[in-house]
Amino acid sequence: MDCWSTPLHLDDEFKKLVIRMNPPRVTVDNTSNRTATVIKVDSANRRGSLLEVVQVLTDMNLIVRRAYISSDGEWFMDVFHVTDQNGKKCLEDDVVDRIQQSLGPRVRSFRSMRRSVGGQPALEHTTIELTGRDRPGLLSEVFAILADLKCNVVAAEVWTHNSRMASVVYINDETTGLSIDNPDRLAKIEQLLLYVLKGNIDKKSANTAVSVDSTHKERRLHQLMYADRDYDIYEGDYMATSDRNKLFVTVDNFIDKGYTVVNLRCPDRPKLIFDTVCTITDMQYVVYHGTVIAEGPEAYQEYYIRHMDGYPISSEAERQRVIRCLEAAVRRRTYEGIKLELCSEDRVGLLSDVTRIFRENGLTVIRAEVTTSSSQAMNIFYVTDVSGNPVKSETIEAIRKEIGLTILQVKDDGVCSKSPPKESGKFSLSHLFRSSSEKFLCNLGLMKPYS
């Protein structure tokens, strides 16, 4: 060994020291931009910094309109133009304070911030993760089993894509309201759920996992579906032609600088930047530079990436895999079903009853978001018929009458109502107008100038 080399553990300790000495500096600017709040973050760099920042913004329900990213070397600087859900600046003092606190020194210990789910302390729920082949009535069967086993669903999120299903469910004991930690009971829950997930047609292995840890639902769902290879297309799997025409992903090597350049264009929607950055990070790539523009009906994202080993993509197979995975990351949250919102007093078995009514009326749930606050249940379901087609209005009204007209409402989501791009083929953000924030990064040498 070279006498001048540094042991790995000392190198890690030095990096930790650098981070402690250089905590993230966050500025929140509501004056320089007419329509958005500008958030600037710079700090000593480490893998995952970008995702943690984007994750915090997403969890605060902020919409990223523009983003300029540079993290080449030991330092990163990110600039985000954000608005609230109504397209307004974040003018309230408490919102500004939350941004500064969330993206300040605590960003380095982000996982410690996830202390509650659905309004419940983390110690008061048990986490169940499920993956398997999707089929009509599956969610109804899962919730029925949990209700029969005296488990109360505190919160849950369910995604389906390419005939696969992934869900993260938080439960507690019906009687005590606390997490379930009895090994025999947990084993029984896991065994019965696995039996339902496998069914008679699952050609791929189903999976369940039970723990008492708190997880970030949406990031974990991306990881579960990625591990389940939902990005692979199998004969007979459904993919709408109109959806393919709305999404463009290109991946090419920038030979001169040793980067791989990822370009993505699709209809804009909330959480899009989180979905793409999450996928890039979990596929073991690092974003060194990036630009995001999402100020109209379309979103444009451009990232300069390398694998964790420092090299760009080296094969055509790897390039195609990145394209498929990013396409899947976008489509997992893009649905064309009817959005139903249920608000009522929470009770054990509520989800089992509601999803059973859906099933009996020929509806299948393609996505679900379940939350509870105190004793109030606030659940969102995206539904289609069993063939994936829109549900007839008379069917929806019949279900609403059975559940309760004031309890179950039809909502206009608008996620899939955007017009498709007018042009296809390769594209680049270099052809778009550059704002003053990007020029500022170029002047500092933190972003490659474009001709």
Side-chain angles (χ1 to χ4, degrees):
M1 183 177 69
D2 187 350
C3 62
W4 297 105
S5 63
T6 304
L8 290 177
H9 73 279
L10 293 180
D11 187 54
D12 291 340
E13 290 301 318
F14 177 75
K15 290 181 179 179
K16 293 178 183 178
L17 176 62
V18 170
I19 292 173
R20 287 195 297 269
M21 294 177 62
N22 299 276
R25 292 193 292 270
V26 182
T27 61
V28 179
D29 177 8
N30 267 315
T31 59
S32 63
N33 188 286
R34 184 174 57 88
T35 60
T37 297
V38 180
I39 302 172
K40 299 178 182 178
V41 186
D42 65 286
S43 173
N45 190 26
R46 73 171 176 84
R47 182 176 180 270
S49 296
L50 173 61
L51 176 57
E52 289 183 352
V53 173
V54 170
Q55 197 163 278
V56 170
L57 296 176
T58 301
D59 288 344
M60 294 181 66
N61 293 319
L62 296 176
I63 305 297
V64 177
R65 303 298 179 181
R66 284 187 177 235
Y68 307 101
I69 300 156
S70 184
S71 59
D72 213 345
E74 298 300 320
W75 204 262
F76 79 84
M77 174 178 283
D78 299 338
V79 179
F80 300 91
H81 294 211
V82 304
T83 66
D84 62 17
Q85 294 285 321
N86 298 316
K88 305 295 184 181
K89 287 186 178 182
C90 304
L91 298 176
E92 296 82 357
D93 291 339
D94 60 334
V95 174
V96 173
D97 290 342
R98 285 179 61 192
I99 293 172
Q100 291 175 324
Q101 293 171 6
S102 298
L103 300 185
R106 287 171 50 186
V107 75
R108 296 299 177 183
S109 57
F110 175 79
R111 289 175 179 81
S112 66
M113 298 163 57
R114 305 297 301 177
R115 294 175 179 165
S116 65
V117 175
Q120 303 294 324
L123 295 178
E124 295 183 2
H125 71 263
T126 299
T127 303
I128 299 176
E129 297 175 352
L130 308 171
T131 56
R133 186 172 184 85
D134 187 35
R135 55 182 169 81
L138 175 60
L139 194 60
S140 173
E141 295 176 22
V142 168
F143 287 141
I145 285 176
L146 293 176
D148 188 61
L149 295 174
K150 309 300 181 184
C151 300
N152 182 46
V153 178
V154 177
E157 189 146 354
V158 181
W159 290 1
T160 62
H161 177 247
N162 264 1
S163 299
R164 307 301 298 174
M165 183 279 296
S167 63
V168 176
V169 184
Y170 300 96
I171 63 171
N172 59 25
D173 182 81
E174 172 187 340
T175 304
T176 65
L178 300 176
S179 61
I180 301 171
D181 54 11
N182 181 284
D184 294 335
R185 187 177 179 189
L186 290 176
K188 184 177 181 180
I189 293 172
E190 187 170 357
Q191 179 183 16
L192 291 177
L193 289 175
L194 186 60
Y195 178 79
V196 167
L197 286 171
K198 286 186 175 181
N200 296 320
I201 61 172
D202 195 358
K203 298 177 182 179
K204 298 173 67 178
S205 60
N207 189 38
T208 64
V210 180
S211 70
V212 294
D213 297 326
S214 182
T215 61
H216 187 277
K217 291 197 299 293
E218 294 172 345
R219 183 176 184 189
R220 190 63 188 135
L221 284 166
H222 276 301
Q223 292 172 336
L224 289 171
M225 299 210 87
Y226 172 71
D228 200 36
R229 299 181 66 90
D230 74 312
Y231 52 86
D232 284 336
I233 308 299
Y234 295 91
E235 184 178 356
D237 284 345
Y238 172 78
M239 180 184 294
T241 302
S242 60
D243 182 53
R244 288 199 301 266
N245 293 337
K246 293 179 181 180
L247 173 60
F248 300 95
V249 179
T250 64
V251 177
D252 299 286
N253 279 341
F254 185 13
I255 304 297
D256 293 343
K257 299 296 183 180
Y259 294 112
T260 293
V261 184
V262 175
N263 277 289
L264 182 145
R265 180 178 66 177
C266 67
D268 189 30
R269 61 165 174 76
K271 303 185 179 182
L272 181 63
I273 184 174
F274 168 79
D275 295 338
T276 54
V277 170
C278 180
T279 299
I280 291 171
T281 302
D282 286 338
M283 290 185 70
Q284 308 300 309
Y285 294 100
V286 178
V287 176
Y288 288 86
H289 301 285
T291 304
V292 174
I293 298 178
E295 295 179 326
E298 289 182 353
Y300 303 83
Q301 298 183 10
E302 183 171 80
Y303 301 109
Y304 285 68
I305 69 171
R306 293 182 184 132
H307 196 267
M308 280 186 60
D309 59 13
Y311 292 96
I313 289 175
S314 58
S315 70
E316 177 62 18
E318 184 183 4
R319 189 180 77 86
Q320 290 297 329
R321 182 166 170 266
V322 171
I323 291 175
R324 294 199 311 273
C325 288
L326 285 172
E327 289 175 343
V330 173
R331 291 188 176 112
R332 287 168 192 153
R333 217 191 285 260
T334 304
Y335 301 105
E336 297 181 356
I338 293 177
K339 179 181 179 181
L340 301 177
E341 186 174 283
L342 184 146
C343 296
S344 72
E345 196 75 16
D346 189 32
R347 61 175 175 81
V348 175
L350 174 64
L351 290 170
S352 175
D353 293 341
V354 170
T355 52
R356 173 183 53 79
I357 293 172
F358 289 165
R359 183 190 64 199
E360 291 172 349
N361 285 271
L363 271 61
T364 184
V365 178
I366 56 177
R367 180 183 168 194
E369 302 169 21
V370 176
T371 58
T372 57
S373 179
S374 298
S375 60
Q376 192 74 12
M378 296 169 287
N379 305 330
I380 295 174
F381 304 94
Y382 294 81
V383 299
T384 66
D385 68 13
V386 292
S387 300
N389 298 317
V391 183
K392 295 180 179 180
S393 58
E394 53 265 31
T395 302
I396 294 295
E397 288 308 306
I399 292 172
R400 291 186 63 217
K401 288 179 181 179
E402 185 171 356
I403 295 176
L405 293 176
T406 59
I407 294 176
L408 188 65
Q409 301 286 337
V410 180
K411 296 294 181 178
D412 181 15
D413 189 37
V415 170
C416 299
S417 62
K418 306 294 178 69
S419 301
K422 296 180 180 180
E423 299 178 359
S424 60
K426 294 185 178 180
F427 56 93
S428 175
L429 293 176
S430 61
H431 299 298
L432 299 178
F433 176 76
R434 300 295 173 181
S435 73
S436 57
S437 296
E438 187 172 9
K439 293 177 181 177
F440 172 71
L441 289 176
C442 289
N443 291 337
L444 289 179
L446 296 173
M447 177 175 286
K448 175 182 176 291
Y450 296 83
S451 57

